[in-house]
Amino acid sequence: MLIHPQIDPVAVNLGPFQIHWYGIMYLLAFVGFLQLGKVQIRTRPWLSWNEKMLDDAFFYGAIGVIAGGRLGYILFYQLQYYVQDPTEIIALWKGGMSFHGGFLGVVIAMILLAKKYKVSLLSVLDFIAPLVPLGLAFGRIGNFINAELWGRPTQFFLGMIFPNVDSIPRHPSQLYESFFEGFILLTALWLYSKQKRETGQISAVFLILYGTFRFLIEFTREPDHFLGLLFLNLSMGQWLSIPMLIAGIYLFKKS
């Protein structure tokens, strides 16, 4: 049986100055976004992007993902907790980011970017969609290092004991999400976007695949103790993924 390695969440400790692994994962996500974006600019000229647009997308998107991710987590998951202790809102190193909130934050940021460059929102989203999954992969690795968002009890051979939780083998659902919502999604979108597609189709594939992966993997993830399972015994993550899946199917058929 596997046991969580109990990695210290602090990667570098210099007294009052600390660098957390969670922050390093975000840094890797942002670097990956820029590097993959530069490759897209060189190899996909039909997208009509340049490095100035990429830099702006990075700046707008970084603000959107951090602000939206944090706000989404607060509103969707732990509103009462943060109302009682607002100082915890800025404690990003402790985790507490919502993908769905971050997704909405990025969409809003890209609306502003599209207006700035007078291009369609879908063309902007088509460009950034293949750049996002690598960041999702790193983010879930950060969750694993923090030993948070663990899975449900299992006898599956990959079951892992999280000593900070209990002595019961559990799904390492953070790694499932890193693999499927990160690396597999990245590979699928990268290959799909190698050819010119109708505007909106790459975004649609992102929504469909992420929504599907997240919905299914949530069955292995322990529901948040402060929420539990909701209507139809589905988790909050599943209910938030359903609209993404529906929107993706609609967009793919329409584009």
Side-chain angles (χ1 to χ4, degrees):
M1 191 61 62
L2 303 174
I3 299 177
H4 185 271
Q6 296 182 278
I7 302 169
D8 188 342
V10 178
V12 178
N13 193 340
L14 301 175
F17 180 72
Q18 295 181 334
I19 299 177
H20 292 249
W21 282 110
Y22 202 70
I24 292 175
M25 293 302 111
Y26 264 80
L27 177 62
L28 291 175
F30 292 147
V31 171
F33 180 95
L34 286 172
Q35 295 306 312
L36 289 177
K38 291 177 181 179
V39 173
Q40 279 205 140
I41 290 171
R42 292 197 305 269
T43 60
R44 294 154 168 77
W46 58 85
L47 294 174
S48 302
W49 271 62
N50 56 53
E51 291 201 10
K52 177 63 169 63
M53 295 174 68
L54 176 63
D55 289 342
D56 283 347
F58 169 77
F59 177 73
Y60 284 47
I63 295 174
V65 72
I66 294 174
R70 191 58 164 176
L71 184 60
Y73 183 77
I74 292 169
L75 294 177
F76 298 149
Y77 293 93
Q78 292 227 64
L79 179 60
Q80 185 176 357
Y81 172 78
Y82 288 102
V83 168
Q84 292 175 347
D85 189 0
T87 60
E88 284 292 300
I89 292 176
I90 62 173
L92 297 177
W93 57 89
K94 296 182 180 180
M97 298 287 284
S98 162
F99 165 79
H100 298 92
F103 173 77
L104 292 175
V106 168
V107 171
I108 293 172
M110 293 306 105
I111 290 174
L112 298 176
L113 184 73
K115 288 184 176 180
K116 177 179 179 178
Y117 285 98
K118 296 181 174 58
V119 295
S120 72
L121 173 61
L122 285 178
S123 68
V124 172
L125 295 178
D126 281 349
F127 181 86
I128 69 167
L131 315 183
V132 172
L134 186 61
L136 300 180
F138 286 133
R140 293 308 182 193
I141 292 173
N143 294 144
F144 179 77
I145 291 173
N146 282 356
E148 60 188 2
L149 307 183
W150 52 82
R152 303 185 192 188
T154 182
Q155 294 302 314
F156 188 49
F157 76 96
L158 289 178
M160 177 177 290
I161 294 174
F162 290 81
N164 64 308
V165 183
D166 51 32
S167 58
I168 300 174
R170 296 175 175 276
H171 285 288
S173 54
Q174 315 98 320
L175 299 183
Y176 300 166
E177 291 192 77
S178 178
F179 182 71
F180 286 100
E181 299 166 17
F183 297 114
I184 293 298
L185 182 57
L186 168 64
T187 302
L189 286 174
W190 197 258
L191 292 176
Y192 185 73
S193 63
K194 285 183 69 173
Q195 298 180 16
K196 187 175 181 179
R197 304 290 179 178
E198 294 294 328
T199 302
Q201 285 197 338
I202 298 172
S203 301
V205 171
F206 174 90
L207 291 170
I208 292 169
L209 291 181
Y210 179 87
T212 300
F213 289 151
R214 178 66 183 270
F215 186 89
L216 294 176
I217 294 172
E218 281 281 322
F219 284 115
T220 71
R221 178 171 160 177
E222 183 73 16
D224 297 291
H225 69 276
F226 45 84
L227 285 178
L229 294 175
L230 306 176
F231 184 59
L232 297 180
N233 282 330
L234 298 179
S235 68
M236 176 63 82
Q238 288 173 311
W239 279 112
L240 293 174
S241 296
I242 290 173
M244 293 184 66
L245 179 56
I246 295 173
I249 294 172
Y250 171 78
L251 182 59
F252 190 85
K253 290 184 175 181
K254 183 181 177 181
S255 59

